[in-house]
Amino acid sequence: MKIAWFKKVISPEIGAYLAGYSLKDKSVAKRDDLYMTGLCADDGERKVLLISFDLQCMDIEYIYKFRKLCGDILAIPPEAVMLTFTHTHGGPQTNCEAGFADHLNIPYMEMLEKALTEECRRLAENPQAVECSTYFYSIEVDENLNRRVVSSDNYAAFLPHNAELRKLANGFADKELGSLIFIPAEKGKGNYAAHPLAAHPLGTGARRISADYPAPFREYITEETGAEAMFVSGACGDMIPKKDELGSNGAEAMGRSLAEGIFRSLLDATRNPERFCMNSPKVGALCRSLTVPLRSLYRN
């Protein structure tokens, strides 16, 4: 496998409105920078580009636009460009917030488009691709919980609004930390499912620009190994950190705990290449439209 990599700061200006909670949460400080990280993987037959944004989400028209933009520059199909979002609630408004079109930060989206164009052109003109072995590893890290408790009468209580029920939180929680490791390129990708809500306490702490726990996750890996790292969110719909909304220390602790999971993965994977090194790694991407049968109440 040959891989190429980019990493770029995409933090908005302090004062930008933040996504995820109130539509009027204006940022008053910056806890850490937001990043856009890109991994271009080429197996000799096909090439894909995976981009992780420290953003909550993005409107579908921009997803289509950015995938075509990157694909055209790199001469790959749009479906071979995969965009993923860490889902931080400490980033700018990059979607229309369920119909509030005036809350979309248009100047920020224009900046993002320019940054993407620059990075993809650089990849096309001077990819500096590195040939490497590819490892996959999976480990359990107990840092999340299901944020709903369902009672016997089928009532779902939302834990962030019912703190006294937290001890009863026994719903499904995906605790798998999956990692994709490239040697000797010293790049890695970690996947975990939990809303980045650790560094989001009430008050001014909730109004800081921040990537939340994915930031210390990446920083600690780079600090200890010299390797770059990308964070990709798992299916985090009902997954929250165990220390959700408790501030910076909670985010720092969770990020480092997940990074330690990566360290353990690195050790075992590289010491057992016959088990964890892929013989013939292949890349691919697929877009498929699905029709989902909804209850009549929700069909419109």
Side-chain angles (χ1 to χ4, degrees):
M1 185 77 72
K2 287 185 177 180
I3 69 165
W5 180 267
F6 66 77
K7 181 178 180 181
K8 189 174 184 66
V9 174
I10 56 167
S11 304
E13 295 292 328
I14 294 173
Y17 285 97
L18 301 178
Y21 279 79
S22 165
L23 294 176
K24 299 179 180 180
D25 275 352
K26 181 181 287 190
S27 57
V28 297
K30 181 172 70 175
R31 180 182 177 272
D32 45 71
D33 274 316
L34 309 184
Y35 282 92
M36 170 180 74
T37 50
L39 172 69
C40 187
D42 185 347
D43 65 13
E45 297 177 5
R46 289 181 297 272
K47 183 162 61 176
V48 299
L49 175 66
L50 174 64
I51 309 172
S52 177
F53 297 89
D54 285 335
L55 300 171
Q56 188 199 27
C57 54
M58 190 178 290
D59 281 339
I60 191 69
E61 56 263 35
Y62 279 99
I63 291 176
Y64 287 149
K65 181 180 183 180
F66 288 173
R67 287 169 56 202
K68 185 178 186 306
L69 170 72
C70 298
D72 287 348
I73 295 173
L74 295 172
I76 58 177
E79 60 265 25
V81 179
M82 297 172 285
L83 310 185
T84 181
F85 307 90
T86 62
H87 200 65
T88 179
H89 288 233
Q93 295 276 15
T94 51
N95 75 320
C96 289
E97 291 288 338
F100 293 91
D102 58 322
H103 286 269
L104 179 64
N105 190 331
I106 299 292
Y108 182 84
M109 299 307 297
E110 292 173 346
M111 180 279 292
L112 209 57
E113 181 176 351
K114 181 181 178 182
L116 259 182
T117 302
E118 291 173 352
E119 293 301 328
C120 286
R121 283 178 178 165
R122 186 182 62 78
L123 278 181
E125 295 166 4
N126 183 27
Q128 297 183 323
V130 179
E131 191 165 346
C132 55
S133 299
T134 306
Y135 294 76
F136 175 76
Y137 197 90
S138 176
I139 192 171
E140 182 177 310
V141 181
D142 187 12
E143 284 290 346
N144 61 359
L145 73 156
N146 195 301
R147 65 181 181 179
R148 297 184 195 275
V149 173
V150 181
S151 58
S152 56
D153 58 355
N154 208 30
Y155 174 78
F158 187 55
L159 289 182
H161 296 170
N162 296 274
E164 73 279 6
L165 298 178
R166 291 181 72 92
K167 291 183 179 180
L168 302 179
N170 57 0
F172 176 81
D174 179 6
K175 299 181 182 293
E176 178 187 21
L177 174 65
S179 56
L180 193 61
I181 304 159
F182 300 99
I183 305 289
E186 295 187 339
K187 310 285 188 215
K189 175 172 78 72
N191 173 283
Y192 195 71
H195 272 67
L197 293 176
H200 207 287
L202 195 64
T204 56
R207 297 191 177 190
R208 294 173 298 189
I209 295 164
S210 174
D212 211 273
Y213 72 80
F217 167 80
R218 295 184 303 239
E219 291 165 3
Y220 196 35
I221 291 173
T222 301
E223 176 186 321
E224 295 297 317
T225 68
E228 293 286 0
M230 172 187 284
F231 179 85
V232 175
S233 178
C236 69
D238 262 342
M239 302 290 101
I240 55 173
K242 286 190 169 182
K243 292 187 176 182
D244 61 305
E245 302 180 312
L246 294 183
S248 298
N249 287 346
E252 191 75 23
M254 180 172 180
R256 288 191 166 230
S257 178
L258 291 174
E260 288 172 356
I262 294 294
F263 299 156
R264 184 67 64 201
S265 302
L266 279 166
L267 289 169
D268 199 30
T270 54
R271 288 171 179 172
N272 296 279
E274 69 285 352
R275 294 176 60 197
F276 302 111
C277 185
M278 301 179 188
N279 291 325
S280 300
K282 298 293 180 183
V283 298
L286 173 70
C287 279
R288 179 180 293 159
S289 296
L290 302 175
T291 300
V292 181
L294 298 176
R295 284 179 288 172
S296 58
L297 177 65
Y298 301 107
R299 283 179 189 159
N300 294 321

